[in-house]
Amino acid sequence: MPAVTRWFIRASLLFLILALALAVLQAAQARWGLSVPGLSAVYFHLFLVGWVTQMIMGVGFWFFPKYSQARPRGSETAAWASFWLLNVGLLLRAVAEPLLAVRPSALWGWALVASALMQWLAGVLFVYNSWARIKER
Amino acid sequence: MPRLSVVGIRLALLYFLLGISFGALLLIHKAMPLHPAMWILLPLHMEFLLYGWVVQLVFSVAYWIFPRFLSEPKRGNPALAWAALGLLNLSILALSAASLGVLPAVQLPARLAQVAAAALLAASLWRRAKPTETGVAYKR
């Protein structure tokens, strides 16, 4: 299993724990007299992007058919860039989205824009790196 | 990798690209409003990523890697699998058209088609969820 796959898988496992912990926080909000807006969207994306999609990306990089003998998994650089962009972008969202809702400011607005672009670029790099590996032989 | 899986995984990657593009636009729109009608993309974002990406990818990879039968057709009835893939994509496109306000009447039939697609996916994979064969022909 390549190193970047191990990082993807371990990060996805951490995001699973984080997403479920956030679900606990959501459930406890009323009891603790809290009301943090934007948590539902963050929870869904920690789960579906951080856990599900990240697991697919890591396993896909490892498991899809070889690109070539010389570069069996395509570009390692693109895979690492995809890993960091996805994780930093998603964590940035998890912080910026509730903060933007509670205390609107240009800083959190731009952080959310950066988060959107980073996650989008991570996905584009994954597709770019995977496309040619999806083949019959 | 069989042709069905190539087609299914590539379609899944295309839906993934579209789905994350809509998602990025919606996230940017939360920070700095881009257009009043932007939220019309939300159902497409969800439909493309849940069904076009996750369900389609899982089915296509499962069709490729699940244990095969010793006799032809080794991956089960290919017509069943192609029908599942076709119906899944048709239902996603019809639901997208309905959520955009084009052909709103197709929403219910498209949801029914999605259930039928799920049943076909299950039928296609059901008997391949089995131990790997080691020489003795598997009785279907």
Side-chain angles (χ1 to χ4, degrees):
Chain A
M1 184 185 285
V4 70
T5 293
R6 296 200 298 272
W7 281 69
F8 267 121
I9 291 174
R10 287 176 180 166
S12 81
L13 293 169
L14 291 176
F15 270 112
L16 175 64
I17 297 168
L18 202 58
L20 298 181
L22 195 61
V24 173
L25 178 65
Q26 277 186 289
Q29 274 195 103
R31 182 172 294 188
W32 295 343
L34 287 172
S35 178
V36 184
L39 281 190
S40 291
V42 172
Y43 159 69
F44 280 123
H45 286 85
L46 290 182
F47 189 88
L48 288 169
V49 179
W51 158 240
V52 178
T53 296
Q54 179 150 237
M55 180 65 83
I56 290 170
M57 288 165 83
V59 173
F61 182 73
W62 169 38
F63 201 73
F64 283 158
K66 285 179 185 172
Y67 175 72
S68 69
Q69 287 299 327
R71 294 199 323 160
R73 295 190 172 93
S75 166
E76 292 261 348
T77 309
W80 279 111
S82 184
F83 171 79
W84 287 112
L85 286 165
L86 186 83
N87 284 282
V88 174
L90 188 54
L91 287 173
L92 195 58
R93 178 192 185 150
V95 174
E97 192 169 4
L99 283 173
L100 183 67
V102 174
R103 289 183 192 168
S105 76
L107 173 68
W108 299 125
W110 281 110
L112 209 54
V113 171
S115 148
L117 294 175
M118 288 167 89
Q119 292 177 80
W120 178 79
L121 193 55
V124 170
L125 285 172
F126 169 71
V127 173
Y128 159 78
N129 214 23
S130 302
W131 190 264
R133 295 178 61 188
I134 308 305
K135 55 190 177 182
E136 288 185 64
R137 297 199 185 276
Chain B
M1 184 184 294
R3 175 159 297 181
L4 180 134
S5 297
V6 172
V7 172
I9 295 173
R10 285 195 165 174
L11 282 171
L13 289 172
L14 288 176
Y15 278 118
F16 178 63
L17 267 186
L18 285 170
I20 62 167
S21 299
F22 295 157
L25 284 173
L26 288 169
L27 196 53
I28 292 169
H29 181 68
K30 282 186 180 178
M32 41 192 70
L34 300 173
H35 191 279
M38 190 58 72
W39 285 105
I40 202 168
L41 293 178
L42 183 62
L44 272 68
H45 170 62
M46 296 192 297
E47 201 69 34
F48 284 12
L49 289 176
L50 286 176
Y51 303 106
W53 164 236
V54 177
V55 173
Q56 182 148 244
L57 183 80
V58 168
F59 172 65
S60 303
V61 171
Y63 185 78
W64 168 36
I65 65 171
F66 273 17
R68 282 169 282 173
F69 302 113
L70 283 179
S71 56
E72 293 289 347
K74 293 187 174 176
R75 288 190 169 87
N77 183 353
L80 197 62
W82 279 109
L85 204 66
L87 201 55
L88 178 69
N89 285 283
L90 197 65
S91 68
I92 294 168
L93 293 178
L95 282 164
S96 304
S99 69
L100 287 173
V102 188
L103 304 172
V106 302
Q107 187 164 26
L108 183 59
R111 284 284 173 217
L112 289 170
Q114 215 158 40
V115 176
L120 289 171
L121 297 183
S124 171
L125 295 176
W126 194 267
R127 285 181 301 154
R128 289 183 57 200
K130 64 180 183 69
T132 305
E133 292 167 35
T134 53
V136 179
Y138 180 76
K139 289 182 182 172
R140 299 182 193 214

